[in-house]
Amino acid sequence: MTGIADEAPVTLDTLKQLMAQFAKERDWDRFHSPRNLLLALVGEVGELSEIFQWKGEVPKGLPDWKEEEKVHLGEELSDVLLYLVRLSDICGVDLGKAALRKVQLNAIKYPAKICKEVVSSVSSTPEENPSTNNGTAPDAD
């Protein structure tokens, strides 16, 4: 369907090219303004949120989920990713480089040593230490 072997690594650039071709083949470029793509992305995030809406906290790996639930989750995650990649392309933002830069900025803003100290000083429940911001993690800003 995509002409890409299943075992080939998937890159943001590959997805960007596939989405551009997909839109071009359907003459959808005229609808792919930044605003329209952003609104579509928000809609897809809403659909993703619905999957978790009534499940409460779920453990990593989703061990209690049925296979069809995991497949559905993968589809909605993919929709979000594809709209994000398309939006970044239309806006002329290199998403990979922007993400790497953001990780570097976050490493400066939230140094590991300081973050570990803050986490270790915060109680796990408000009852154990009511003076710690109502039991929530302190603002990093």
Side-chain angles (χ1 to χ4, degrees):
M1 178 153 86
T2 61
I4 296 176
D6 286 338
E7 57 276 345
V10 178
T11 65
L12 290 176
D13 193 51
T14 299
L15 294 175
K16 181 175 86 169
Q17 291 172 15
L18 286 172
M19 291 303 294
Q21 184 63 33
F22 187 88
K24 183 178 180 180
E25 289 171 351
R26 288 156 183 80
D27 196 26
W28 286 355
D29 283 326
R30 59 195 167 128
F31 304 116
H32 284 190
S33 66
R35 176 190 171 276
N36 287 349
L37 290 168
L38 176 61
L39 292 176
L41 173 63
V42 169
E44 293 301 337
V45 169
E47 290 182 26
L48 178 60
S49 299
E50 287 176 351
I51 295 172
F52 290 92
Q53 186 172 7
W54 304 113
K55 291 195 179 283
E57 288 300 323
V58 294
K60 292 179 181 179
L62 312 175
D64 300 327
W65 286 33
K66 298 175 187 164
E67 185 59 30
E68 59 265 18
E69 290 177 305
K70 290 182 180 183
V71 168
H72 184 218
L73 175 61
E75 290 169 354
E76 297 305 334
L77 286 166
S78 297
D79 285 341
V80 170
L81 175 63
L82 294 172
Y83 272 118
L84 184 61
V85 167
R86 184 69 174 147
L87 176 60
S88 69
D89 184 27
I90 293 299
C91 291
V93 172
D94 183 325
L95 189 57
K97 287 182 181 176
L100 289 175
R101 181 176 183 276
K102 186 62 176 177
V103 169
Q104 292 169 343
L105 291 173
N106 284 343
I108 295 166
K109 187 174 182 180
Y110 308 107
K113 184 178 188 301
I114 293 173
C115 290
K116 286 180 182 179
E117 290 170 1
V118 169
V119 169
S120 68
S121 70
V122 176
S123 295
S124 59
T125 64
E127 295 81 23
E128 292 175 12
N129 190 351
S131 66
T132 59
N133 202 15
N134 296 325
T136 62
D139 277 345
D141 292 326

